[in-house]
Amino acid sequence: MKKHYEDVTPFLSVLEIGAWKVKCRLPANQITSVGAIGLFGKDTSSEELTEALIDAGFGGVTVEPIYKGRDKIVTAFFKVVFNITTLPQFVRIAYQQCRVSTYKGKPWQCFRCQRLGHNAVNCRAAPRCVVYSGAHNSRECPSPSTCSCCNCSCNHTANYGGCPKIRQAREVEKIRQIQKLSYRDAARQVVHAGGTSLVQPHSDQTLNISMVTQF
């Protein structure tokens, strides 16, 4: 169920809690929208595209290139963060109408336990190998040629993009972006539709969702 963030508006002006200085804000996905646009020549820079979007009436945008693979190969697409809550369907750039797609961003993956939805700094779970699920850190793997995913038990690494859990997680990310939901609420929608759990118990009560980068 979507949160009613309007109810917390009075707390946004709070600057102190006891002796602590604080800054309160709404979640980023409640005040911005994130899209992907292309196709552009590979010589197009983020600065050029930012200027074009400002000229088109989209002030305060943040633009960055979208890369592919571990080698970060330049693509013809850019990620754009708009300072509006509803993602535009099209933008006009240099007399051309460019379609804006929902950007499915990269969620956190814990390099300690290999689950997604939190990072290693906050993880209290036992370490698990990304290669074959062993109870050790991935960099200490004694058998790097044997693969077994700790999330689905198939014969691939835990960060393999074709993992069935990751396919489900892509749908979670899509729902989260479009409907502006939390990870937990978006995961519950996918679970309700498909009947397969993406949310698993975690020792520090952190939401545990298997997700990877995908555009």
Side-chain angles (χ1 to χ4, degrees), residues 21-187:
K21 301 290 185 181
V22 298
K23 183 177 181 180
C24 302
R25 62 172 178 81
L26 291 174
N29 71 346
Q30 296 298 313
I31 56 178
T32 62
S33 55
V34 186
I37 59 176
L39 299 160
F40 297 101
K42 293 185 178 181
D43 58 342
T44 302
S45 68
S46 298
E47 292 75 17
E48 291 174 325
L49 189 53
T50 299
E51 184 177 343
L53 287 167
I54 291 174
D55 290 342
F58 296 100
V61 294
T62 302
V63 180
E64 60 184 69
I66 294 176
Y67 298 101
K68 181 179 180 180
R70 293 183 179 179
D71 296 330
K72 292 189 174 182
I73 300 171
V74 176
T75 70
F77 295 90
F78 285 82
K79 171 187 173 182
V80 182
V81 180
F82 295 90
N83 280 331
I84 51 179
T85 56
T86 302
L87 192 69
Q89 292 184 329
F90 298 93
V91 294
R92 184 169 292 277
I93 298 175
Y95 305 104
Q96 295 185 0
Q97 186 167 269
C98 301
R99 182 175 179 269
V100 182
S101 302
T102 300
Y103 177 79
K104 290 172 279 187
K106 180 180 181 180
W108 290 342
Q109 178 172 18
C110 178
F111 297 111
R112 177 179 173 84
C113 73
Q114 306 311 319
R115 300 191 190 280
L116 280 286
H118 66 277
N119 59 29
V121 174
N122 300 315
C123 182
R124 300 176 187 175
R128 295 193 301 177
C129 179
V130 69
V131 180
Y132 82 103
S133 308
H136 54 261
N137 291 320
S138 300
R139 67 186 63 181
E140 301 170 355
C141 181
S143 182
S145 61
T146 303
C147 292
S148 177
C149 176
C150 56
N151 292 316
C152 73
S153 302
C154 294
N155 296 326
H156 55 71
T157 60
N159 57 2
Y160 171 55
C163 174
K165 291 291 186 181
I166 287 175
R167 292 196 186 102
Q168 291 176 319
R170 289 171 181 160
E171 185 64 20
V172 172
E173 184 67 9
K174 179 180 178 181
I175 291 173
R176 188 184 72 85
Q177 290 289 349
I178 294 175
Q179 300 186 25
K180 297 185 179 297
L181 300 177
S182 67
Y183 286 120
R184 182 181 296 277
D185 289 342

